[in-house]
Amino acid sequence: MTMNPTALNYRVAADAYEAGRPSYPAEIVAALPLGAARCIVDLGAGTGKFTRLLLAHMSANTRLVAVEPVAEMSARLANEARVEVVNTRADAINLETGSVDLVTCAQAFHWFDNEASVAEIARLLHPGGTLALVWNNRDDRAPWVDALSRMIERYAGDTPRQRSGRWRWILQDPRFVLEKEIVQDHPHRMRRQDVFERIASTSYVANLPEAEKAALREQSDDILRDAGLGDADEVVFPYVTQLFLLKRV
Protein backbone atom coordinates (compact mmCIF):
# COMPACT_ATOMS: atom_id res chain seq x y z
CA MET A 1 0.00 0.00 0.00
CA THR A 2 1.44 3.39 -1.00
CA MET A 3 1.04 6.65 0.87
CA ASN A 4 -1.74 8.97 -0.25
CA PRO A 5 -0.04 11.45 -2.64
CA THR A 6 -1.69 14.43 -0.92
CA ALA A 7 0.04 13.49 2.33
CA LEU A 8 3.38 14.14 0.64
CA ASN A 9 2.43 17.83 0.54
CA TYR A 10 3.37 17.94 4.22
CA ARG A 11 6.99 17.83 3.07
CA VAL A 12 6.68 21.56 2.40
CA ALA A 13 4.25 22.33 5.23
CA ALA A 14 6.20 21.44 8.38
CA ASP A 15 6.90 25.07 9.33
CA ALA A 16 3.32 26.16 8.66
CA TYR A 17 2.00 23.17 10.62
CA GLU A 18 4.13 23.98 13.66
CA ALA A 19 3.20 27.68 13.57
CA GLY A 20 -0.47 27.42 12.74
CA ARG A 21 -1.77 24.32 14.51
CA PRO A 22 -2.87 24.30 18.16
CA SER A 23 -1.74 21.95 20.87
CA TYR A 24 -4.31 19.84 22.76
CA PRO A 25 -6.24 20.42 25.99
CA ALA A 26 -4.71 19.09 29.21
CA GLU A 27 -7.98 17.28 29.95
CA ILE A 28 -7.57 15.18 26.82
CA VAL A 29 -4.10 14.04 27.82
CA ALA A 30 -5.30 13.37 31.38
CA ALA A 31 -7.96 10.99 30.03
CA LEU A 32 -5.32 8.70 28.50
CA PRO A 33 -4.11 5.62 30.41
CA LEU A 34 -0.51 6.82 30.58
CA GLY A 35 0.44 5.80 34.11
CA ALA A 36 0.74 2.05 33.51
CA ALA A 37 1.79 2.19 29.85
CA ARG A 38 5.09 0.47 29.14
CA CYS A 39 5.04 1.14 25.38
CA ILE A 40 3.18 3.90 23.54
CA VAL A 41 2.99 4.35 19.78
CA ASP A 42 2.07 7.83 18.53
CA LEU A 43 0.86 7.07 15.04
CA GLY A 44 0.95 9.85 12.45
CA ALA A 45 3.07 11.93 14.83
CA GLY A 46 3.66 14.79 12.39
CA THR A 47 5.87 17.48 13.91
CA GLY A 48 5.33 16.00 17.38
CA LYS A 49 2.73 18.32 18.89
CA PHE A 50 0.91 15.43 20.60
CA THR A 51 4.09 13.38 21.05
CA ARG A 52 5.60 16.04 23.29
CA LEU A 53 2.50 16.07 25.49
CA LEU A 54 2.78 12.30 25.92
CA LEU A 55 6.46 12.68 26.74
CA ALA A 56 5.72 15.23 29.45
CA HIS A 57 3.12 13.06 31.21
CA MET A 58 4.24 9.45 30.79
CA SER A 59 6.35 7.40 33.18
CA ALA A 60 10.12 7.76 33.02
CA ASN A 61 10.59 4.13 31.93
CA THR A 62 7.91 4.14 29.21
CA ARG A 63 8.97 3.51 25.63
CA LEU A 64 7.56 6.10 23.20
CA VAL A 65 7.64 5.38 19.46
CA ALA A 66 6.62 8.16 17.07
CA VAL A 67 5.57 6.78 13.68
CA GLU A 68 5.47 9.33 10.85
CA PRO A 69 5.93 8.57 7.12
CA VAL A 70 6.98 12.12 6.17
CA ALA A 71 10.55 12.63 7.37
CA GLU A 72 10.36 16.39 6.93
CA MET A 73 7.62 16.47 9.58
CA SER A 74 9.21 14.11 12.10
CA ALA A 75 12.54 15.96 11.86
CA ARG A 76 11.06 18.30 14.49
CA LEU A 77 11.44 15.43 16.99
CA ALA A 78 15.13 14.83 16.28
CA ASN A 79 16.26 16.41 19.56
CA GLU A 80 13.83 14.48 21.77
CA ALA A 81 16.17 11.81 23.11
CA ARG A 82 13.40 9.72 24.69
CA VAL A 83 11.37 9.48 21.49
CA GLU A 84 12.08 6.74 18.95
CA VAL A 85 11.18 8.12 15.53
CA VAL A 86 10.21 5.60 12.84
CA ASN A 87 9.54 6.81 9.30
CA THR A 88 7.08 4.27 7.99
CA ARG A 89 3.41 3.82 7.10
CA ALA A 90 0.72 2.88 9.58
CA ASP A 91 0.36 -0.59 8.06
CA ALA A 92 4.06 -1.49 8.36
CA ILE A 93 5.26 -0.97 11.95
CA ASN A 94 8.08 -3.27 12.98
CA LEU A 95 7.14 -3.90 16.62
CA GLU A 96 6.25 -7.17 18.29
CA THR A 97 2.67 -8.42 18.32
CA GLY A 98 0.87 -7.46 21.54
CA SER A 99 3.77 -5.32 22.74
CA VAL A 100 1.95 -1.97 22.87
CA ASP A 101 -0.29 -0.63 25.64
CA LEU A 102 -1.47 2.57 23.96
CA VAL A 103 -1.70 3.75 20.35
CA THR A 104 -2.50 7.43 19.87
CA CYS A 105 -3.56 9.03 16.58
CA ALA A 106 -3.79 12.81 16.93
CA GLN A 107 -5.05 14.66 13.86
CA ALA A 108 -4.12 11.64 11.78
CA PHE A 109 -6.43 8.62 11.71
CA HIS A 110 -8.39 9.78 8.64
CA TRP A 111 -5.16 9.34 6.65
CA PHE A 112 -5.01 5.60 7.31
CA ASP A 113 -8.57 4.51 8.15
CA ASN A 114 -8.15 1.36 6.05
CA GLU A 115 -8.23 -2.32 6.90
CA ALA A 116 -4.47 -2.88 6.57
CA SER A 117 -3.61 -0.09 9.02
CA VAL A 118 -6.33 -1.00 11.51
CA ALA A 119 -5.21 -4.63 11.38
CA GLU A 120 -1.68 -3.46 12.21
CA ILE A 121 -2.94 -1.36 15.13
CA ALA A 122 -4.92 -4.35 16.39
CA ARG A 123 -1.83 -6.56 16.05
CA LEU A 124 0.34 -4.21 18.07
CA LEU A 125 -2.12 -3.73 20.95
CA HIS A 126 -2.47 -6.47 23.53
CA PRO A 127 -6.02 -7.35 24.67
CA GLY A 128 -7.14 -4.54 26.95
CA GLY A 129 -4.80 -2.06 25.27
CA THR A 130 -6.11 1.33 24.20
CA LEU A 131 -6.47 3.14 20.88
CA ALA A 132 -6.96 6.90 21.26
CA LEU A 133 -8.25 8.92 18.30
CA VAL A 134 -7.91 12.69 18.76
CA TRP A 135 -8.83 15.62 16.56
CA ASN A 136 -8.77 19.40 16.86
CA ASN A 137 -11.58 20.52 14.56
CA ARG A 138 -12.11 24.08 13.41
CA ASP A 139 -15.23 25.40 15.15
CA ASP A 140 -17.37 26.60 12.27
CA ARG A 141 -19.99 27.99 14.66
CA ALA A 142 -17.86 31.16 14.47
CA PRO A 143 -18.89 32.84 11.18
CA TRP A 144 -15.35 33.91 10.27
CA VAL A 145 -14.00 30.39 10.86
CA ASP A 146 -16.83 29.00 8.74
CA ALA A 147 -15.84 31.46 6.00
CA LEU A 148 -12.21 30.30 6.16
CA SER A 149 -13.33 26.67 6.04
CA ARG A 150 -15.51 27.26 2.99
CA MET A 151 -12.63 29.11 1.33
CA ILE A 152 -10.20 26.20 1.63
CA GLU A 153 -12.64 23.28 1.29
CA ARG A 154 -13.05 23.97 -2.41
CA TYR A 155 -9.50 22.64 -2.84
CA ALA A 156 -10.11 19.45 -0.84
CA GLY A 157 -11.26 17.14 -3.62
CA ASP A 158 -11.12 13.57 -2.36
CA THR A 159 -8.36 14.24 0.19
CA PRO A 160 -8.86 12.17 3.36
CA ARG A 161 -10.15 14.36 6.18
CA GLN A 162 -11.90 14.01 9.50
CA ARG A 163 -14.95 15.95 8.36
CA SER A 164 -15.90 13.24 5.87
CA GLY A 165 -16.80 10.89 8.73
CA ARG A 166 -15.60 7.93 6.67
CA TRP A 167 -13.23 6.92 9.50
CA ARG A 168 -16.15 6.24 11.87
CA TRP A 169 -16.38 2.62 10.70
CA ILE A 170 -13.78 1.74 13.32
CA LEU A 171 -16.31 2.56 16.05
CA GLN A 172 -18.20 -0.60 15.00
CA ASP A 173 -15.11 -2.75 14.38
CA PRO A 174 -15.40 -5.97 16.45
CA ARG A 175 -11.72 -5.78 17.43
CA PHE A 176 -12.42 -2.64 19.49
CA VAL A 177 -14.98 -1.38 21.98
CA LEU A 178 -15.65 2.34 22.38
CA GLU A 179 -15.12 3.13 26.07
CA LYS A 180 -15.26 6.92 26.17
CA GLU A 181 -15.88 9.94 23.98
CA ILE A 182 -14.93 13.46 25.05
CA VAL A 183 -15.88 16.62 23.16
CA GLN A 184 -14.42 19.87 24.44
CA ASP A 185 -14.19 23.47 23.27
CA HIS A 186 -10.57 24.42 22.76
CA PRO A 187 -9.92 28.11 22.00
CA HIS A 188 -6.43 28.66 20.62
CA ARG A 189 -4.77 32.03 21.07
CA MET A 190 -2.42 32.78 18.19
CA ARG A 191 -0.75 35.61 16.35
CA ARG A 192 -2.99 37.04 13.67
CA GLN A 193 -0.28 36.48 11.06
CA ASP A 194 -0.31 32.75 11.89
CA VAL A 195 -3.94 32.36 10.84
CA PHE A 196 -2.76 31.97 7.28
CA GLU A 197 -0.12 29.48 8.44
CA ARG A 198 -3.02 27.42 9.76
CA ILE A 199 -4.58 27.53 6.29
CA ALA A 200 -1.26 26.76 4.57
CA SER A 201 -0.72 23.75 6.84
CA THR A 202 -3.72 22.01 5.27
CA SER A 203 -2.46 19.24 3.01
CA TYR A 204 -4.41 20.28 -0.07
CA VAL A 205 -3.33 23.93 0.28
CA ALA A 206 0.32 23.30 1.12
CA ASN A 207 1.44 22.50 -2.41
CA LEU A 208 -0.61 25.07 -4.32
CA PRO A 209 1.27 27.47 -6.63
CA GLU A 210 2.59 30.50 -4.80
CA ALA A 211 0.32 32.85 -6.73
CA GLU A 212 -2.73 30.90 -5.60
CA LYS A 213 -1.50 30.89 -2.01
CA ALA A 214 -1.06 34.66 -2.21
CA ALA A 215 -4.66 35.00 -3.37
CA LEU A 216 -5.82 32.85 -0.47
CA ARG A 217 -3.85 35.01 1.95
CA GLU A 218 -5.64 38.10 0.63
CA GLN A 219 -9.00 36.38 0.97
CA SER A 220 -8.23 35.30 4.53
CA ASP A 221 -7.18 38.86 5.40
CA ASP A 222 -10.50 40.10 4.01
CA ILE A 223 -12.40 37.57 6.14
CA LEU A 224 -10.55 38.68 9.27
CA ARG A 225 -11.17 42.35 8.49
CA ASP A 226 -14.88 41.67 8.00
CA ALA A 227 -14.88 39.98 11.42
CA GLY A 228 -13.32 43.05 13.05
CA LEU A 229 -9.95 41.34 13.46
CA GLY A 230 -8.04 43.19 10.79
CA ASP A 231 -5.87 45.20 13.20
CA ALA A 232 -5.58 42.59 15.94
CA ASP A 233 -2.15 41.38 17.03
CA GLU A 234 -3.67 38.18 18.35
CA VAL A 235 -6.84 36.23 17.61
CA VAL A 236 -8.57 33.42 19.42
CA PHE A 237 -9.14 30.66 16.90
CA PRO A 238 -11.93 28.40 18.20
CA TYR A 239 -11.55 24.63 17.96
CA VAL A 240 -13.52 21.67 19.23
CA THR A 241 -11.36 18.77 20.40
CA GLN A 242 -12.68 15.21 20.14
CA LEU A 243 -11.24 12.14 21.86
CA PHE A 244 -12.38 8.59 21.23
CA LEU A 245 -10.94 5.90 23.54
CA LEU A 246 -11.31 2.36 22.19
CA LYS A 247 -10.27 -0.80 24.03
CA ARG A 248 -8.67 -3.70 22.14
CA VAL A 249 -10.87 -6.76 22.65
Side-chain angles (χ1 to χ4, degrees), residues 22-34 49-50 52-54 56-58 134 136 180 182 184-187 241-243 245:
S23 186
Y24 298 84
E27 294 84 354
I28 296 297
V29 180
L32 302 178
L34 295 174
K49 282 185 174 285
F50 200 74
R52 294 185 186 92
L53 293 178
L54 296 172
H57 291 87
M58 70 187 198
V134 187
N136 281 324
K180 183 182 292 187
I182 297 175
Q184 180 175 329
D185 289 344
H186 181 40
T241 303
Q242 291 180 292
L243 167 67
L245 287 180

Side-chain angles (χ1 to χ4, degrees), residues 2 27 29 38 48 52 60-61 65 69 86 97 113 115 120-121 135 137-138 143 164 185 189 195 197 200 216:
T2 59
E27 294 84 354
V29 180
R38 297 158 299 169
R52 294 185 186 92
N61 59 358
V65 182
V86 179
T97 298
D113 62 343
E115 172 56 31
E120 182 73 334
I121 293 169
W135 283 280
N137 300 312
R138 297 185 303 272
S164 74
D185 289 344
R189 186 173 295 277
V195 171
E197 297 305 313
L216 284 178

Side-chain angles (χ1 to χ4, degrees), residues 2-15 17 42-48 51 66-78 85-90 107-108 111-112 201 203 206-207:
T2 59
M3 193 191 315
N4 186 294
T6 310
L8 297 176
N9 291 347
Y10 282 124
R11 289 175 173 171
V12 298
D15 290 341
Y17 198 100
D42 189 25
L43 193 51
T47 61
T51 317
V67 176
E68 170 53 50
V70 181
E72 289 83 354
M73 296 284 278
S74 64
R76 296 301 186 103
L77 287 166
V85 176
V86 179
N87 295 125
T88 190
R89 302 187 314 268
Q107 216 69 18
W111 284 105
F112 42 82
S201 73
S203 60
N207 216 34

Side-chain angles (χ1 to χ4, degrees), residues 108-130:
F109 182 67
H110 52 280
W111 284 105
F112 42 82
D113 62 343
N114 54 70
E115 172 56 31
S117 296
V118 172
E120 182 73 334
I121 293 169
R123 183 188 70 81
L124 294 176
L125 286 169
H126 60 73
T130 300

Side-chain angles (χ1 to χ4, degrees), residues 8-228:
L8 297 176
N9 291 347
Y10 282 124
R11 289 175 173 171
V12 298
D15 290 341
Y17 198 100
E18 192 68 14
R21 297 292 181 115
S23 186
Y24 298 84
E27 294 84 354
I28 296 297
V29 180
L32 302 178
L34 295 174
R38 297 158 299 169
C39 181
I40 301 171
V41 171
D42 189 25
L43 193 51
T47 61
K49 282 185 174 285
F50 200 74
T51 317
R52 294 185 186 92
L53 293 178
L54 296 172
L55 188 62
H57 291 87
M58 70 187 198
S59 172
N61 59 358
T62 299
R63 181 185 185 188
L64 177 55
V65 182
V67 176
E68 170 53 50
V70 181
E72 289 83 354
M73 296 284 278
S74 64
R76 296 301 186 103
L77 287 166
N79 294 325
E80 300 289 354
R82 290 183 60 200
V83 179
E84 300 176 39
V85 176
V86 179
N87 295 125
T88 190
R89 302 187 314 268
D91 60 347
I93 303 167
N94 188 26
L95 295 175
E96 291 184 11
T97 298
S99 65
V100 177
D101 302 288
L102 172 64
V103 173
T104 60
C105 304
Q107 216 69 18
F109 182 67
H110 52 280
W111 284 105
F112 42 82
D113 62 343
N114 54 70
E115 172 56 31
S117 296
V118 172
E120 182 73 334
I121 293 169
R123 183 188 70 81
L124 294 176
L125 286 169
H126 60 73
T130 300
L131 170 62
L133 308 180
V134 187
W135 283 280
N136 281 324
N137 300 312
R138 297 185 303 272
D139 188 352
D140 289 342
R141 292 174 296 182
W144 66 272
V145 176
D146 179 58
L148 289 175
S149 292
R150 287 187 284 107
M151 180 186 76
I152 64 176
E153 283 292 313
R154 66 177 185 262
Y155 295 95
D158 60 355
T159 301
R161 56 198 193 281
Q162 190 272 351
R163 289 172 177 237
S164 74
R166 187 183 66 184
W167 59 271
R168 297 185 71 91
W169 67 270
I170 196 173
L171 302 181
Q172 283 76 47
D173 190 289
R175 291 165 292 192
F176 298 93
V177 173
L178 179 62
E179 287 201 311
K180 183 182 292 187
E181 178 180 352
I182 297 175
V183 180
Q184 180 175 329
D185 289 344
H186 181 40
H188 173 52
R189 186 173 295 277
M190 64 194 303
R191 299 183 304 172
R192 180 191 176 283
Q193 67 194 64
D194 286 339
V195 171
F196 185 74
E197 297 305 313
R198 169 62 185 89
I199 295 166
S201 73
T202 306
S203 60
Y204 43 85
V205 174
N207 216 34
L208 289 175
E210 290 304 315
E212 199 149 6
K213 282 186 184 178
L216 284 178
R217 183 185 290 274
E218 289 184 9
Q219 292 175 50
S220 66
D221 285 344
D222 289 341
I223 288 169
L224 291 173
R225 276 193 293 271
D226 290 345

